[in-house]
């Protein structure tokens, strides 16, 4: 009898201990982030922390995988079910299986998770180079960014549309700055957060350009309206902002020009159940202040309303987001509702 009772209590203890284990019955999210030195990685970690703290039954692990453009292939190969630091045109390409993702094929399981910030892509060039716009780039060496990065993908897209004859090099921002300072290149293409978000952001040197400009004067290479239209004709989902005359705060003498600017987002797989997605977006949206404290460029954004404004790109929202938005009384564009959504 005693032996039976001992076995019973031992079994009961194991059941209770297993049930009390933090990892028990938790849905695992593998969140593909960027390199640890990137501010984008900081955003991914902050989102993961919000999910781990406030989304009951969900465990999110943010892993550094490299440039932002490498996170979507991980999702396509089933190595991650969430990814961050993505310019939305890149998500569009992955969803349709075109351009950079032609070999991988379309990933129709991609879903928008939440908007992160508005990103613009300046090409910082030396004043002495005489480069004014993209048609001045023939034969010039320009650093296009890290291999596989969103910045590099957008740089190559510009060249595909305009055929300027630019000579691209590649490397990190630190490498790009050194190359400019040592006169190995005439400039570098990079991404930077736009503040305030949207088409009315104020253009000024980012931290990297300020550092280089202290010893070698820099300016920006913009698009003419004709060049912008050529790019739009080939890549309809690319969006631009017009910088008015005097709108570049560090070079107020410049006349108007155009820059690429579009939202950066995170993505999630449709394989993640709707109830899990719901818990995740609720955790992130209702603790957005903490995300913004960790990554200030996200502060001006409304994580729900501004994500709902991404209708023009054609990549669906995740079902949990749709459920959360509808509960808040918000109208969700029909185009953004995924087929797996259940009311």
């Amino acid at each position: 009898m005693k032996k039976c009772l001992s076995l019973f209590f031992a079994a009961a203890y194991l059941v209770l201990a297993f049930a009390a284990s933090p990892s028990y019955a938790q849905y695992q999210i593998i969140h593909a982030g960027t390199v640890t030195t990137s501010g984008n990685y900081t955003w991914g970690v902050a989102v993961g922390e919000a999910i781990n703290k406030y989304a009951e039954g969900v465990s999110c692990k943010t892993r550094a995988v490299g440039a932002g453009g490498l996170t979507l292939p991980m999702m396509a190969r089933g190595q991650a079910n969430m990814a961050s630091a993505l310019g939305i045109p890149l998500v569009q390409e992955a969803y349709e299986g075109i351009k950079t993702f032609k070999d991988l094929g379309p990933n129709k399981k991609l879903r928008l998770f939440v908007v992160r910030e508005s990103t613009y892509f300046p090409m910082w060039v030396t004043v002495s180079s005489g480069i004014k716009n993209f048609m001045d780039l023939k034969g010039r060496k320009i650093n296009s960014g890290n291999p596989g990065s969103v910045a590099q993908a957008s740089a190559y897209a510009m060249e595909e549309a305009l055929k300027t004859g630019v000579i691209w090099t590649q490397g990190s921002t630190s490498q790009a700055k050194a190359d400019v300072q040592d006169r190995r290149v005439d400039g570098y293409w990079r991404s930077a957060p736009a503040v305030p978000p949207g088409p009315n952001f104020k253009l000024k040197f980012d931290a990297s350009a300020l550092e280089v400009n202290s010893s070698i004067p820099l300016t920006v290479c913009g698009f003419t309206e004709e060049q912008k239209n050529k790019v739009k004709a080939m890549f309809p989902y690319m969006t631009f902002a017009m910088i008015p005359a005097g709108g570049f705060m560090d070079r107020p003498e410049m006349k108007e020009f155009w820059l690429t600017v579009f939202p950066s987002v995170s993505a999630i797989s449709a394989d993640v159940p709707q109830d899990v997605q719901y818990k995740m977006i609720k955790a992130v949206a209702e603790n957005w202040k903490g995300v913004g404290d960790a990554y200030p460029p996200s502060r001006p954004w409304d994580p729900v309303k501004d994500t709902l404004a991404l209708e023009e790109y054609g990549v669906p929202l995740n079902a949990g987001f749709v459920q959360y938005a509808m509960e808040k009384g918000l109208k969700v564009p029909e185009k953004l509702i995924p087929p797996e959504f259940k009311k």
Side-chain angles (χ1 to χ4, degrees):
M1 183 67 177
K2 288 182 179 179
K3 186 176 181 181
C4 289
L5 284 172
S6 296
L7 289 172
F8 171 79
F9 284 119
Y13 173 80
L14 288 172
V15 169
L16 290 171
F18 188 65
S21 172
S23 62
Y24 177 70
Q26 286 194 323
Y27 193 94
Q28 299 295 316
I29 297 295
I30 304 301
H31 185 187
T34 56
V35 292
T36 55
T37 53
S38 167
N40 298 331
Y41 182 76
T42 304
W43 183 90
V45 170
V47 166
E49 288 177 348
I51 292 169
N52 288 331
K53 190 173 182 179
Y54 300 106
E56 186 179 354
V58 185
S59 173
C60 181
K61 297 179 180 178
T62 302
R63 295 179 176 174
V65 301
L70 302 178
T71 60
L72 287 171
M74 284 191 67
M75 289 187 68
R77 292 190 291 265
Q79 297 167 327
N81 47 12
M82 186 177 178
S84 63
L86 309 164
I88 197 167
L90 204 64
V91 182
Q92 183 82 31
E93 290 180 7
Y95 183 74
E96 296 178 1
I98 59 174
K99 304 297 179 184
T100 309
F101 301 91
K102 187 176 180 180
D103 292 340
L104 286 170
N107 184 357
K108 294 298 183 179
K109 291 184 178 182
L110 271 182
R111 300 290 182 262
L112 297 179
F113 181 66
V114 73
V115 72
R116 186 185 83 225
E117 64 184 311
S118 187
T119 303
Y120 72 99
F121 291 83
M123 181 185 291
W124 304 126
V125 295
T126 62
V127 171
S128 61
S129 70
I131 296 170
K132 304 294 184 185
N133 63 66
F134 273 70
M135 298 318 292
D136 296 328
L137 293 175
K138 185 176 182 179
R140 303 299 188 93
K141 289 185 177 180
I142 302 292
N143 184 300
S144 62
N146 267 322
S149 66
V150 177
Q152 186 179 75
S154 60
Y156 288 177
M158 301 304 120
E159 177 60 16
E160 185 177 348
L162 297 176
K163 296 178 172 54
T164 66
V166 64
I167 301 170
W168 294 119
T169 66
Q170 59 184 9
S172 66
T173 300
S174 296
Q175 181 65 53
K177 291 189 298 183
D179 286 348
V180 172
Q181 290 167 331
D182 293 340
R183 305 291 184 172
R184 291 190 292 266
V185 299
D186 290 306
Y188 61 105
W189 175 276
R190 64 169 275 115
S191 63
V195 179
N200 298 315
F201 72 94
K202 305 298 182 183
L203 178 65
K204 58 182 180 180
F205 285 140
D206 64 357
S208 70
L210 275 173
E211 182 181 340
V212 176
N213 188 64
S214 65
S215 58
I216 300 176
L218 294 180
T219 186
V220 67
C221 172
F223 296 88
T224 65
E225 185 167 9
E226 180 184 3
Q227 291 164 2
K228 180 260 295 184
N229 291 339
K230 282 185 178 180
V231 174
K232 287 284 287 182
M234 182 172 286
F235 302 97
Y237 47 83
M238 284 287 193
T239 51
F240 291 78
M242 192 270 283
I243 310 300
F248 179 14
M249 297 168 67
D250 295 295
R251 293 282 181 263
E253 71 279 5
M254 288 187 68
K255 297 180 180 179
E256 72 175 41
F257 59 93
W258 294 82
L259 285 182
T260 49
V261 56
F262 45 73
S264 285
V265 299
S266 53
I268 193 168
S269 172
D271 288 337
V272 177
Q274 180 173 324
D275 65 316
V276 174
Q277 295 172 346
Y278 174 85
K279 290 178 182 179
M280 292 171 64
I281 191 61
K282 179 179 172 67
V284 172
E286 295 180 7
N287 296 280
W288 194 249
K289 182 181 182 301
V291 175
D293 288 345
Y295 188 72
S298 289
R299 284 178 185 163
W301 289 84
D302 184 305
V304 181
K305 292 180 180 178
D306 287 328
T307 303
L308 287 172
L310 301 178
E311 182 179 7
E312 66 178 291
Y313 297 99
V315 180
L317 293 164
N318 68 84
F321 187 106
V322 175
Q323 178 184 343
Y324 182 76
M326 287 182 172
E327 285 183 3
K328 294 293 182 182
L330 298 171
K331 184 178 179 181
V332 180
E334 194 68 31
K335 186 178 180 181
L336 292 179
I337 299 176
E340 68 272 13
F341 169 68
K342 295 178 182 178
K343 291 186 179 179

